[in-house]
């Protein structure tokens, strides 16, 4: 039975931890078995809701890291022998286990990452969705057949598994981003080693505990290994490790560049899912109610800590005053507080350092000529020592340097435009290229925006905001966002090697391009 905590209490937290088999000190290393936790060196997981310690985690030692990778290599040799649809049937069980644990895991995400209850559950739902998707995919891993120029020849392309992959994930999606990679890779035949953010290790431990039981019951290899520790230490070790055939990295542009360099140094493969600086264009032809809701959700949900959060809104000068007036009202009225309480839309930032970055970006925006229209200060929430802020709405100029950087906090810059060409120029004038949207009912405008003349992002939306993607399409962005694609569509191909195969079933050996070779 799932348990819901609506108020802070040690007893309720203890019950949740009992359900999820979490202790005060937890091992952060799993490779078919849990490495022994030790009290000597710990990663502390604090709740951003009240700043209190949730539990501690023993990080992975150098020796255990090596065990985890060699274990994953061995597990791969067995797992890869299962036909893909059989792998898919294991994903069915995994999806069932996640459905049963949805409320508990969702609450853990709320406690550890500070998401509202609905967002915490939504994250686990996303894991369930990708598990369901991967079941279908397991019967659709396809190849191609091509016409050969040589008689009695056949040419094909097929995809084969790569081996153990590494998944390094960010704090703001402590569970779903891992599953986008791990579940798709699993039906492709790969095993995986997960290094979660040190800010949210408990979700990773709880998930690994649940799923390892499923794999054990099903009598299949333990394909999901777990390591914990700092990015500089464990993360870079994974990036440099030739045994790890692919590194899927989700995080900031700065960390992603370091990972990408280490992986390229060994000519390895990586998937980079890095920061965004997403904008919504609001045309004079928009349905203003829809646009306001889309922009507000994009900018305020998860306290502006989504890679797809709306950070810039570019508004037509014909509706600018009306739109801004209504947006200011939303900002002034939005409820900031304990994300476990109903009615609260904006929870805390992850930690003090995020709050300091929020404050310094606002000062910088003021210095560069911005005008603060609402919010922009710390928020005091009675009885809670979390990291709460009042989301900031700032009227700005698109060429201000601060508007070109991703501040991982709820700051929304507002710009005015005269025509759509100008809106798109402003839109594309940042180094990042993750998500974008236009609010308009004018077909010509929306077509322009989704064409090559329009948004330069990996995700382009019409009449829905920049945040909140579904798993069915490929997810990822261009430019500094790193070019990676995960989740649905044909993103599975990233977790496999492509082989081109030519078969001669004739009695001669004709050579391509008519080349002669007489012996
Ligand atoms: P971060 O870069 O600080 O950390 C992400 C992960 O990388 C963590 O596990 C961390 O330990 C590890 N890491 C840090 N430095 C490393 C290094 N040198 N080598 C190897 N690993 C290293 O990011 P964060 O603060 O956890 O997350 C927020 C960032 O992630 C934002 O920029 C956000 O836009 C981005 N993000 C992107 C996506 C996407 O799909 N594009 C999704 C979620 C978050």
């Amino acid at each position: 039975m799932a348990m819901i905590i609506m108020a802070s209490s040690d007893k309720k937290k203890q019950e949740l931890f009992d359900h999820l088999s979490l202790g005060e000190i937890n091992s952060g290393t799993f490779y078919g078995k849990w490495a022994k936790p030790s009290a000597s060196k710990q990663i502390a997981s604090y709740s951003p809701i009240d700043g209190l310690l949730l539990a501690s985690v023993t990080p992975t030692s150098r020796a255990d890291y090596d065990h985890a990778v060699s274990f994953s290599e061995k597990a791969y040799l067995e797992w890869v022998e299962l036909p893909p649809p059989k792998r898919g049937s294991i994903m069915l069980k995994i999806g069932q286990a996640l459905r049963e644990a949805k409320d508990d895991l969702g609450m853990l995400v709320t406690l550890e990452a500070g998401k509202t209850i609905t967002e915490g559950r939504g994250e686990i739902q996303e894991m369930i969705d990708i598990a369901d998707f991967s079941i279908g995919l397991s019967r659709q891993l396809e190849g191609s057949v091509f016409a050969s120029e040589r008689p009695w020849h056949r040419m094909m392309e097929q995809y084969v598994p790569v081996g153990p992959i590494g998944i390094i994930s960010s704090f703001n999606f402590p569970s779903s981003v891992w599953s986008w990679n791990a579940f798709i890779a699993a039906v492709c035949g790969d095993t995986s080693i997960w290094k979660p953010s040190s800010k949210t290790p408990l979700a990773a431990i709880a998930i690994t505990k649940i799923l390892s039981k499923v794999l054990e019951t099903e009598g299949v290899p333990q394909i999901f290994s777990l390591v914990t520790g700092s990015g500089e230490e464990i993360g870079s070790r994974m990036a440099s490790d030739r045994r790890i055939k692919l590194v899927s990295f989700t995080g900031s542009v700065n960390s992603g560049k370091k990972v990408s360099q280490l992986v390229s140094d060994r000519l390895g493969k990586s998937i980079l899912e890095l920061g965004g600086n997403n904008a919504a264009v609001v045309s004079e032809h928009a349905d203003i109610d829809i646009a306001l809701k889309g922009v507000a959700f994009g900018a305020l949900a998860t306290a502006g800590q989504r890679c797809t959060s709306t950070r810039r809104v570019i508004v037509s000068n014909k509706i600018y005053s009306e739109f801004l007036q209504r947006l200011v009202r939303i900002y002034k009225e939005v409820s900031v507080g304990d994300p476990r309480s109903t009615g609260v839309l904006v929870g805390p930032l992850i930690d003090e350092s995020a709050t300091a970055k929020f404050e310094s970006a606002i000062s910088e925006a003021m210095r560069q000529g911005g005008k603060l229209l609402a919010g922009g200060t710390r928020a005091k929430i009675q009885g809670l020592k979390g990291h709460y802020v009042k989301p900031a709405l700032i009227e700005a100029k698109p060429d201000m340097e601060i508007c070109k950087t991703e501040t991982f906090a709820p700051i929304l810059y507002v710009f005015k435009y005269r025509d759509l060409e100008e809106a798109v120029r402003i839109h594309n004038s940042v180094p990042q290229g993750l998500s974008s949207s236009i609010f308009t009912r004018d077909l010509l405008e929306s077509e322009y925006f989704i064409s090559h003349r329009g948004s330069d992002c990996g995700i382009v939306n019409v009449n829905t905001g920049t945040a909140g993607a579904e798993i069915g399409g490929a997810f990822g962005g261009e430019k500094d966002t790193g070019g990676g694609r995960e989740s649905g569509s044909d993103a599975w191909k990233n977790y496999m090697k492509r082989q081109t195969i030519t078969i001669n079933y004739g009695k001669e050996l004709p050579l391509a391009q008519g080349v002669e070779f007489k012996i």
Side-chain angles (χ1 to χ4, degrees):
M1 190 195 66
M3 204 194 42
I4 315 254
I5 309 179
M6 290 312 295
S8 181
S9 98
D10 280 353
K11 190 166 162 270
K12 294 250 168 92
K13 185 194 112 182
Q14 195 49 54
E15 279 170 37
L16 177 74
F17 274 38
D18 290 347
H19 276 201
L20 294 172
S21 310
L22 293 171
E24 272 175 45
I25 298 180
N26 301 275
S27 168
T29 314
F30 180 79
Y31 46 92
K33 59 180 189 201
W34 289 93
K36 258 206 158 76
S38 121
S40 57
K41 197 180 160 204
Q42 298 297 333
I43 299 170
S45 176
Y46 295 101
S47 174
I49 298 175
D50 51 17
L52 298 178
L53 181 69
L54 286 169
S56 298
V57 173
T58 308
T60 305
S61 67
R62 176 146 211 143
D64 275 334
Y65 168 81
D66 279 329
H67 291 320
V69 180
S70 9
F71 176 85
S72 196
E73 281 182 307
K74 284 195 203 103
Y76 165 72
L77 295 177
E78 273 186 63
W79 176 251
V80 76
E81 293 304 332
L82 295 183
K86 171 72 185 150
R87 297 178 206 144
S89 71
I90 304 297
M91 301 315 295
L92 177 71
K93 305 284 176 181
I94 282 177
Q96 279 165 353
L98 290 170
R99 279 181 172 86
E100 279 161 28
K102 179 175 168 182
D103 287 350
D104 285 343
L105 286 174
M107 180 53 75
L108 183 62
V109 169
T110 292
L111 290 179
E112 207 179 21
K115 296 191 179 196
T116 58
I117 303 259
T118 169
E119 288 186 85
R121 281 195 198 128
E123 203 176 325
I124 309 308
Q125 183 58 46
E126 204 168 342
M127 299 180 80
I128 296 166
D129 293 344
I130 202 83
D132 288 353
F133 178 91
S134 68
I135 300 166
L137 176 66
S138 71
R139 288 186 182 268
Q140 289 182 318
L141 299 169
E142 59 186 7
S144 325
V145 179
F146 301 99
S148 169
E149 66 185 46
R150 287 170 278 180
W152 302 97
H153 275 59
R154 188 145 64 91
M155 202 161 54
M156 298 174 293
E157 257 183 19
Q158 71 170 9
Y159 290 85
V160 293
V162 292
I165 68 157
I167 302 167
I168 302 176
S169 59
S170 57
F171 81 83
N172 65 321
F173 280 96
S175 57
S176 61
V177 160
W178 168 76
S179 64
W180 290 357
N181 290 280
F183 294 177
I184 300 291
V187 292
C188 289
D190 303 331
T191 51
S192 56
I193 303 150
W194 180 9
K195 193 211 89 60
S197 164
S198 302
K199 293 174 187 172
T200 51
L202 296 177
I205 293 171
I207 289 163
T208 305
K209 287 197 170 182
I210 291 168
L211 300 193
S212 61
K213 280 196 194 115
V214 175
L215 297 173
E216 192 184 332
T217 310
E218 294 303 311
V220 294
Q222 291 290 342
I223 52 174
F224 303 131
S225 296
L226 177 72
V227 293
T228 48
S230 79
E232 284 72 20
E233 203 186 326
I234 298 283
S236 356
R237 202 172 292 160
M238 288 170 83
S240 315
D241 194 332
R242 294 184 78 88
R243 295 172 296 173
I244 296 183
K245 304 301 179 201
L246 163 75
V247 176
S248 177
F249 177 86
T250 304
S252 61
V253 172
N254 281 346
S255 315
K257 280 184 182 164
K258 291 183 195 157
V259 168
S260 166
Q261 277 163 7
L262 290 173
V263 177
S264 329
D265 270 356
R266 60 175 172 99
L267 299 178
K269 274 174 52 161
S270 57
I271 299 174
L272 299 173
E273 294 283 353
L274 312 181
N277 189 353
N278 319 294
V281 173
V282 182
S283 143
E284 67 268 28
H285 303 297
D287 176 318
I288 303 280
D289 290 337
I290 287 182
L292 278 166
K293 188 168 176 185
V295 169
F297 174 75
L300 299 168
T302 327
Q305 299 169 109
R306 288 187 182 213
C307 51
T308 52
S309 289
T310 310
R311 311 215 174 274
R312 302 172 296 139
V313 57
I314 308 161
V315 186
S316 161
N317 58 358
K318 302 201 178 69
I319 51 157
Y320 187 78
S321 306
E322 181 200 346
F323 186 83
L324 203 57
Q325 215 176 29
R326 291 182 62 186
L327 194 58
V328 169
R329 201 175 320 132
I330 291 172
Y331 266 69
K332 290 201 164 148
E333 288 170 4
V334 70
S335 51
V336 177
D338 187 332
R340 293 165 296 186
S341 310
T342 22
V344 164
L345 293 179
V346 180
L349 291 179
I350 190 70
D351 55 19
E352 175 52 32
S353 136
T355 315
K357 284 183 188 150
F358 168 81
E359 289 180 318
S360 94
I362 291 167
S363 318
E364 194 50 35
M366 298 304 102
R367 204 184 59 75
Q368 291 176 17
K371 185 174 159 201
L372 186 63
L373 302 175
T377 54
R378 287 181 189 243
K380 281 206 170 63
I381 307 299
Q382 209 184 358
L384 295 177
K385 285 201 184 120
H387 313 283
Y388 296 90
V389 297
K390 293 186 183 157
L393 185 64
I394 296 176
E395 195 171 35
K397 295 273 179 292
D399 55 359
M400 283 164 48
E401 265 321 297
I402 191 70
C403 303
K404 297 184 193 263
T405 47
E406 179 198 45
T407 304
F408 217 54
I411 302 175
L412 181 63
Y413 301 109
V414 193
F415 315 128
K416 195 189 286 185
Y417 76 84
R418 284 182 303 269
D419 56 41
L420 193 57
E421 285 79 1
E422 185 189 20
V424 168
R425 245 192 334 273
I426 296 171
H427 179 278
N428 292 348
S429 68
V430 297
Q432 309 83 350
L434 181 53
S435 184
S436 56
S437 76
I438 187 166
F439 289 91
T440 181
R441 287 165 146 185
D442 182 312
L443 179 72
L444 303 188
E445 286 190 332
S446 68
E447 287 292 326
Y448 183 90
F449 193 71
I450 64 173
S451 78
H452 65 276
R453 303 164 194 91
S455 163
D456 61 1
C457 289
I459 298 169
V460 190
N461 295 333
V462 177
N463 292 326
T464 186
T466 61
E470 297 177 25
I471 57 105
F475 182 94
E478 299 301 320
K479 304 197 284 184
D480 279 7
T481 303
R485 291 295 184 278
E486 290 175 0
S487 197
S489 181
D490 67 351
W492 60 271
K493 291 181 178 168
N494 291 321
Y495 304 87
M496 302 194 95
K497 286 185 284 214
R498 185 196 294 232
Q499 289 182 328
T500 304
I501 301 162
T502 307
I503 297 173
N504 175 5
Y505 58 100
K507 294 183 178 147
E508 314 264 328
L509 185 67
L511 299 175
Q513 295 87 42
V515 170
E516 300 269 352
F517 189 79
K518 290 198 171 121
I519 49 169

